[in-house]
Amino acid sequence: MRIGRHDVAISNHDKVFFPARGLTKGDLVQYYLDVAECALPHLRRRPFHMKRYPNGVDADFFHQKRVPANHPPYVDEVPVSFPSGHSTVFAIVDNAAALAWVANLGCIELHTWHSRVAEIEKPDYLLIDLDPSADGQWPYVRQIALVVREVMDELGLASFPKTSGATGLHILAPIKPELPFPEVRRFAKALAEEVERRIGDQEIATTTWRVADRKGVFVDFGQNARDRTIACAYSVRPVPDARVSAPLDWSEVATVDPAEFTVETMPERIGQAGDPMRGMWRRAASLAPRYGKLGLSRPERAG
């Protein structure tokens, strides 16, 4: 395929990736090209973690952090070291050709870090992940999301919801990359606990860390840690109906059904409703002045 100024080789274009929907690898590549303008702002300059399904969603998958050595020149890379002493070289997906290339490798999902290359140790968004602990809790997820928004509004943080594409809901608050991961996680934990307090019923919302002790929806703050990844906005998920992690307007949250957003429906939705996360990264706030509002001590800045 000719994508921009680059030729991208797509192998096994007709291989079925989603048997329940009859969707092929070629359909997956085309979807990502259709939504590239909206997806790329969430991918640019972030380490990209490959989770590869070379034979589709019903077959085995594997994780691959290191970008293949023979990657094309339009796929950038970044070396990253870990506390263990190991290091690896991640891919950087900065353009539509690179997006098509990772899809061709079977990367159904787009997993990225919470930080960008320029400030690899400092995330540029805070995440609250609403994760049901049992079936039938989606109404609770929607209820809790509106309380998360209320708390973020009071803190002066712009908030942007999206379906996870699986069973939950992500709420992102763009922040300036000024603080290290542990400090952002500390803030997110206090925010989640405030949401839990306002709900007032742990069978609806809980911050309990031990899985066996949870009954309600887990208000997960722990994703705000180094080397954690999420399926970014517009990422396809490896589920039978080819569901997508869909950005939402807040007016949609109270009645949203995640099953509405798939590879087949998302391009038309964007064409009709636009991108609810458009301009999100221009609304980044400084987190440090807001710690006191949650009763937290002054944060420690990275060197």
Side-chain angles (χ1 to χ4, degrees):
M1 300 180 71
R2 185 70 177 176
I3 303 173
R5 296 180 290 107
H6 307 291
D7 290 319
V8 183
I10 306 299
S11 61
N12 300 312
H13 183 276
D14 294 326
K15 180 183 283 188
V16 176
F17 265 25
F18 297 89
R21 302 299 303 168
L23 297 172
T24 66
K25 182 199 281 191
D27 294 323
L28 178 70
V29 171
Q30 188 59 55
Y31 165 78
Y32 278 131
L33 293 177
D34 289 342
V35 304
E37 183 179 352
C38 298
L40 284 170
H42 304 277
L43 293 164
R44 286 195 177 100
R45 309 314 297 161
R46 298 188 189 277
F48 183 91
H49 179 105
M50 295 183 178
K51 187 178 180 183
R52 296 176 60 177
Y53 293 78
N55 295 303
V57 298
D58 290 346
D60 292 338
F61 66 88
F62 63 94
H63 293 271
Q64 180 178 344
K65 290 185 177 182
R66 182 173 292 275
V67 64
N70 62 343
H71 66 81
Y74 52 79
V75 176
D76 203 354
E77 61 181 40
V78 58
V80 177
S81 298
F82 296 93
S84 64
H86 292 96
S87 63
T88 194
V89 180
F90 285 91
I92 301 292
V93 178
D94 269 354
N95 54 75
L99 189 53
W101 181 78
V102 295
N104 181 61
L105 292 180
C107 295
I108 291 174
E109 299 177 282
L110 307 178
H111 280 277
T112 56
W113 277 39
H114 297 223
S115 58
R116 303 188 196 249
V117 173
E119 292 286 0
I120 200 72
E121 303 299 336
K122 301 173 185 177
D124 68 347
Y125 66 88
L126 178 149
L127 172 69
I128 297 295
D129 180 5
L130 302 182
D131 184 15
S133 56
D135 293 338
Q137 292 185 334
W138 183 250
Y140 292 166
V141 170
R142 297 185 299 200
Q143 175 187 349
I144 298 164
L146 296 175
V147 177
V148 174
R149 183 195 187 188
E150 176 184 280
V151 175
M152 288 187 173
D153 282 350
E154 292 174 10
L155 291 167
L157 296 174
S159 57
F160 295 85
K162 69 182 183 72
T163 64
S164 71
T167 60
L169 194 82
H170 295 157
I171 302 167
L172 283 68
I175 59 175
K176 295 180 179 179
E178 300 170 331
L179 299 173
F181 280 98
E183 283 296 343
V184 175
R185 185 183 185 278
R186 184 164 70 99
F187 187 97
K189 182 176 187 288
L191 193 158
E193 289 171 343
E194 175 61 17
V195 170
E196 178 186 38
R197 185 191 68 78
R198 294 190 188 192
I199 294 291
D201 185 344
Q202 288 202 336
E203 294 197 1
I204 296 177
T206 182
T207 58
T208 300
W209 194 254
R210 190 168 181 265
V211 175
D213 294 336
R214 295 178 197 157
K215 293 183 179 179
V217 174
F218 183 39
V219 186
D220 187 359
F221 54 86
Q223 297 293 342
N224 298 278
R226 190 183 193 270
D227 196 24
R228 294 290 180 90
T229 65
I230 63 166
C232 74
Y234 300 102
S235 173
V236 184
R237 303 308 299 270
V239 292
D241 62 358
R243 200 169 294 191
V244 171
S245 180
L248 304 170
D249 186 84
W250 274 111
S251 64
E252 299 176 288
V253 169
T255 59
V256 66
D257 178 0
E260 296 176 359
F261 311 113
T262 70
V263 165
E264 296 167 285
T265 65
M266 184 56 72
E268 182 178 356
R269 169 178 163 84
I270 294 172
Q272 293 178 350
D275 177 12
M277 287 186 165
R278 182 179 178 85
M280 167 180 165
W281 302 108
R282 294 195 296 270
R283 300 190 62 187
S286 182
L287 209 57
R290 293 169 165 82
Y291 275 66
K293 294 182 178 181
L294 290 173
L296 297 173
S297 60
R298 188 174 183 84
E300 296 180 11
R301 293 180 179 269

